[in-house]
């Protein structure tokens, strides 16, 4: 199973090894992060992105940071762990998986408070690896559920990147497409390029090409015209945070796709592990939206400037799609209507 | 009045001087086209673009080509003019102004068949300059009509470039914004970058900056999120061809803006001279849509590749917005509902 992030034992000790996705599709460069600061930088600078992958990276980053602590007591350890946690938590505000994973790690620290510091450090490494492995298992399960929605001959529109690159492996929305393809269904994928960071053209097209799945790249502005033309059977996207009522924060542009899908009577599905659902938030208006550097808009791929100097730019990284536009949410536990989340999954969390 | 194209008398005789818009906003480079082939290349390669400007360029290109003909008789002249006309007509299929302007030129040739060839050549030059001057007058009139829709404090969303750069001067949709601004209304403009060729970020932002009008650049994918957030009072776009029923072909992505505007109850106006209305076409499905080079999508600004090698790409340059999404069409003769075009303007053409 291809994974963009791994806990790797290097000559000088463990590192978090991540694929620098900002350099795809032209270069496949792996970066070994020797400390939690480098992991935090990797999350912030989008070497690793995608809500589930961010969660895994944060858990591994915390385990790495914890390992380097020299502490004489549990309290000393906890005190030194705090700034490490805070550094990782401050990287990106929208993806709830980041906080979910860090909370899991904190729980490990708490429930093992009677063990030695060295034992707790070891448990944290185990937990981070478990977060990774469980993510892959969840994605494969999600793919199985979602693939039932896809039929041979379907054309599926997707936005951003939600494949192996965005997760521990296999992917969420793109994982559903992979599962359908692996089960023998001949399908086609229409890929929004996903400005400004171009996760669609750079990453999703790369993953589909690696898997030899027929795909056509379009600009985000073409989605409506292709829906009108007919032939798109399904829209499939991921999520960075889902509120209790089903409102879904995802990559900027997702909301437009959802409104357009509704206008063309095309089913619109979100695929996300249940760890992406934030039952502490009643509706989408409460989800914090990250505003990123304007240079992402004005300097494409960090290389070519496409606007005059000194222009004002907006760059919200995400938008919120109200539940009413979402046909269903595909999780590892099955497919749910947005309105069912709280009743069917809320109690288990 | 700033114009991106002019009939210029150079040392060696007349040339069509055009601003190479592919190099904006970084370089302001004027190209002198000494013959109709260079003018045709300029249209095809987007040195000059925008339906009205394309019409002017084609008329000037024909006058330039006609001037170089050595013909002993009217019939000989007409025979030699035919391939010049065809070269210019084959540059871009969607903008009807191209064919409208060439038809005007053909009419000049026909009605002056009893004059000498040299006299006809002179009349063609006069006609091309008239096409240019009339366009400016029409745009200023259109701006006056449209500005009535705009109030101080409004935020207006626009797509693509419809300013002086897209016309003989002043602009169509952006011309309306200029007229409102010049009349003292403090407004703000939200500019879609307009992938793939980035007319919004490169050209519209440049024109707004030159005119010191407050503007914010967004990616096309952000339009829906900003409409949802509230505050956009009006959407204003141009047109490349309007069918008799009001269906409007315009830059790819316009249709998505229109559907999103409807979903948010935001008025959506098209601004275009009546020369953009094609009464020979009943509805939008009959408008030919130009499919352009995939490299425009995969190589941003012709410089940086943003997708893997050998990917399939779609690149329709335009889409068609059905009349039902259009609140009104702003022309030099006033503002009309799409359904009124035929009755109120159809007889005059």
């Amino acid at each position: 199973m291809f994974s963009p992030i791994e806990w790797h034992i290097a000559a000088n000790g463990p590192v978090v090894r991540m694929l620098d996705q900002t350099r795809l599709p032209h270069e496949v460069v792996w970066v070994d992060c020797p400390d939690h600061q480098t992991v935090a930088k990797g999350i912030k600078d989008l070497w690793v992105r995608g809500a589930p992958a961010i969660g895994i990276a944060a858990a591994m980053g915390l385990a790495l940071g914890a390992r380097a602590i020299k502490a004489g007591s549990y309290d000393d350890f906890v005190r030194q762990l705090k700034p490490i946690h805070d550094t990782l938590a401050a990287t990106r505000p929208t993806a709830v998986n980041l906080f979910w994973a860090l909370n899991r790690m904190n729980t490990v620290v708490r429930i093992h408070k009677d063990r030695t510091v060295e034992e707790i450090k070891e448990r944290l490494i185990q937990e981070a690896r478990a977060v990774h492995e469980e993510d892959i298992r969840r994605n494969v399960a999600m793919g199985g559920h979602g693939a039932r929605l896809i039929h041979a001959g379907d054309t599926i529109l997707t936005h951003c990147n939600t494949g192996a690159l965005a997760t521990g492996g296999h992917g969420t929305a793109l994982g559903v497409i992979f599962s359908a393809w692996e089960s023998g269904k001949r399908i086609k994928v229409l890929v929004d390029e996903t400005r400004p960071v171009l996760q669609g053209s750079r990453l999703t097209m790369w993953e589909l090409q690696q898997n030899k799945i027929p795909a056509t790249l379009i600009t985000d502005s073409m989605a409506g015209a292709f829906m009108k033309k007919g032939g798109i059977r399904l829209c499939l996207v991921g999520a960075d945070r889902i509120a209790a009522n089903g409102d879904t924060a995802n990559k900027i542009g997702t909301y437009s796709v959802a409104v357009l899908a509704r206008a063309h009577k095309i089913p619109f599905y979100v695929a996300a592990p249940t760890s992406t659902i934030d039952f502490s938030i009643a509706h989408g208006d409460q989800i914090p939206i990250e505003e990123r550097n304007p240079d992402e808009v004005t300097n494409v791929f960090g290389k070519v400037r496409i606007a005059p100097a000194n222009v004002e730019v907006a760059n919200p990284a995400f938008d919120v799609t109200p539940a009413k536009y979402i046909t269903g949410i595909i999780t590892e536990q099955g497919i749910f209507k947005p309105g069912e989340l709280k009743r069917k999954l809320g109690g288990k969390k």
Side-chain angles (χ1 to χ4, degrees), chain A residues 72-334:
Chain A
S73 68
Y74 177 81
D75 288 345
D76 188 18
F77 176 72
V78 168
R79 202 178 52 247
Q80 291 190 57
L81 195 62
K82 179 77 166 51
I84 296 169
H85 169 279
D86 292 352
T87 297
L88 291 161
T91 49
R92 299 198 66 195
T94 303
V96 76
N97 311 58
L98 172 69
F99 309 102
W100 168 88
L102 290 174
N103 280 345
R104 260 182 80 152
M105 300 297 276
N106 285 340
T107 303
V108 165
V109 174
R110 233 175 11 252
I111 63 177
H112 295 297
K113 68 174 299 180
D114 295 330
R115 295 183 184 267
T116 67
V117 165
E118 289 312 305
E119 279 174 329
I120 296 174
K121 289 180 181 178
E122 195 46 50
R123 297 279 173 153
L124 284 171
I125 293 170
Q126 286 170 18
E127 189 71 7
R129 302 182 80 155
V131 166
H132 187 189
E133 284 154 22
E134 288 167 25
D135 184 66
I136 294 173
R137 280 203 299 279
R138 271 198 305 260
N139 293 341
V140 171
M142 198 186 310
H145 294 304
R148 287 186 283 119
L149 300 169
I150 296 175
H151 307 286
D154 281 355
T155 295
I156 301 148
L157 176 81
T158 190
H159 189 73
C160 199
N161 173 267
T162 55
L165 290 172
T167 62
H170 193 70
T172 57
L174 201 56
V176 169
I177 289 169
F178 290 149
S179 292
W181 179 260
E182 286 158 11
S183 75
K185 293 170 185 167
R186 300 298 91 172
I187 52 180
K188 283 185 198 163
V189 188
L190 208 55
V191 178
D192 280 354
E193 65 174 8
T194 318
R195 283 279 290 144
V197 183
L198 298 162
Q199 291 91 343
S201 55
R202 295 193 300 109
L203 309 180
T204 300
M205 288 302 289
W206 185 77
E207 286 200 59
L208 288 165
Q209 195 177 52
Q210 301 275 317
N211 288 276
K212 300 191 177 12
I213 301 175
T216 302
L217 174 64
I218 61 173
T219 64
D220 304 309
S221 60
M222 294 175 192
F226 276 88
M227 289 186 194
K228 176 159 163 274
K229 199 175 166 188
I232 299 177
R233 242 273 302 146
L234 202 71
C235 296
L236 257 179
V237 301
D240 287 80
R241 192 184 307 207
I242 303 174
N245 72 341
D247 291 352
T248 295
N250 191 45
K251 181 52 54 201
I252 187 75
T254 302
Y255 171 65
S256 290
V257 173
V259 173
L260 290 163
R262 169 61 50 90
H264 296 87
K265 300 185 172 50
I266 298 168
F268 178 90
Y269 283 90
V270 171
T274 53
S275 57
T276 304
I277 308 172
D278 184 353
F279 285 105
S280 77
I281 276 186
H283 54 80
D285 291 353
Q286 298 166 269
I287 300 174
I289 299 296
E290 177 182 6
E291 180 79 22
R292 291 186 61 85
N293 194 319
D295 289 354
E296 289 183 351
V297 173
T298 54
N299 294 56
V300 174
F301 216 160
K303 285 175 184 162
V304 52
R305 187 164 179 97
I306 58 154
N310 304 316
V311 293
E312 192 180 312
V313 173
N315 188 16
F318 305 95
D319 58 27
V320 174
T321 300
K324 67 174 176 176
Y325 290 107
I326 299 169
T327 313
I329 296 173
I330 304 163
T331 76
E332 76 277 14
Q333 298 188 36

